[in-house]
Amino acid sequence: MAAQVAPDSTQQAVAYPSLFLLVVIGALVPVVPTGALVSSAAVVALHQTVPFSLLIVFGVAALAAFLGDVGLYWLGRRGMRSKNGSRWLAALRDRAPEERLAQAQAKLRDHGVMVLVLSRLVPAGRIPVMLACLMAKMPLRRFIRGDIPACLAWAVTYQLIGILGGSLFKEPWEGVALAVALTVTISAAPAVWRRVRRAPA
């Protein structure tokens, strides 16, 4: 048993900091598939013998997502106040089409900070809502109040996807493959649907 626990402990000593760093980077630079990372980490944790592995994955993922969101929002606020803007603000604008931004602004007016929870769960929904918050000059403290439950809900959702994938297979790599496939499909679905709608009849 000791020989089995030791490798798991060693892997987690590397895996948790890596997960944290990658999710923070993915929140700051929205090109890293952070949902797939969390689902994959949940699969691996499900197959390990170290107690509370899934709980630690959840805590690490939620905290990293929160810190990344707050960091990006803070950088965006600096860009809004700057005459020349900033590359972070420009990146946000590039990833928020006018139609999605208008929808996000309307939802923000109707539902307030609670729209942040939904934006974290809807693929490609986070950036337009964050930009809408910036344009509405939402204080950082108010953004944080909405982002905490958003990050918790996001972490538990993608962890459940990983648990589902991991519970179907005996080998961790098979569960990871399924979890990644599911998260990529979920992430790509809105973009595919928009293209289908815009395609000429």
Side-chain angles (χ1 to χ4, degrees):
M1 176 66 72
Q4 187 177 5
V5 173
D8 283 353
S9 301
T10 303
Q11 289 174 8
Q12 290 191 347
V14 176
Y16 294 142
S18 299
L19 176 64
F20 179 85
L21 184 61
L22 288 171
V23 172
V24 169
I25 293 173
L28 288 170
V29 185
V31 292
V32 178
T34 52
L37 290 172
V38 175
S39 296
S40 300
V43 172
V44 175
L46 186 66
H47 287 276
Q48 289 183 336
T49 59
V50 178
F52 308 115
S53 297
L54 287 170
L55 186 60
I56 296 172
V57 168
F58 167 75
V60 169
L63 178 62
F66 171 73
L67 292 177
D69 281 359
V70 171
L72 185 59
Y73 192 74
W74 180 78
L75 290 168
R77 289 189 70 196
R78 286 191 62 187
M80 293 289 286
R81 292 194 296 264
S82 171
K83 292 182 179 180
N84 299 323
S86 72
R87 61 188 183 95
W88 296 101
L89 184 59
L92 287 176
R93 290 185 184 277
D94 290 342
R95 297 186 67 84
E98 290 298 326
E99 179 184 352
R100 299 291 303 279
L101 178 58
Q103 292 174 354
Q105 288 173 314
K107 290 177 181 177
L108 183 63
R109 285 193 299 268
D110 294 340
H111 305 290
V113 293
M114 288 310 297
V115 77
L116 288 167
V117 177
L118 183 61
S119 76
R120 257 285 177 186
L121 299 177
V122 174
R126 182 175 68 104
I127 298 303
V129 169
M130 185 178 289
L131 187 56
C133 292
L134 287 168
M135 295 179 72
K137 298 182 179 179
M138 179 183 292
L140 180 60
R141 185 175 297 179
R142 190 176 176 212
F143 176 83
I144 287 173
R145 285 203 303 267
D147 198 53
I148 289 173
C151 291
L152 293 173
W154 171 83
V156 76
T157 298
Y158 281 98
Q159 187 167 29
L160 287 173
I161 293 173
I163 292 172
L164 173 64
S167 63
L168 295 176
F169 300 100
K170 292 183 178 180
E171 294 295 328
W173 71 266
E174 295 174 315
V176 169
L178 178 60
V180 170
L182 285 172
T183 53
V184 168
T185 300
I186 292 170
S187 299
V192 172
W193 175 245
R194 286 196 298 270
R195 288 185 181 181
V196 170
R197 285 175 56 193
R198 291 173 184 171

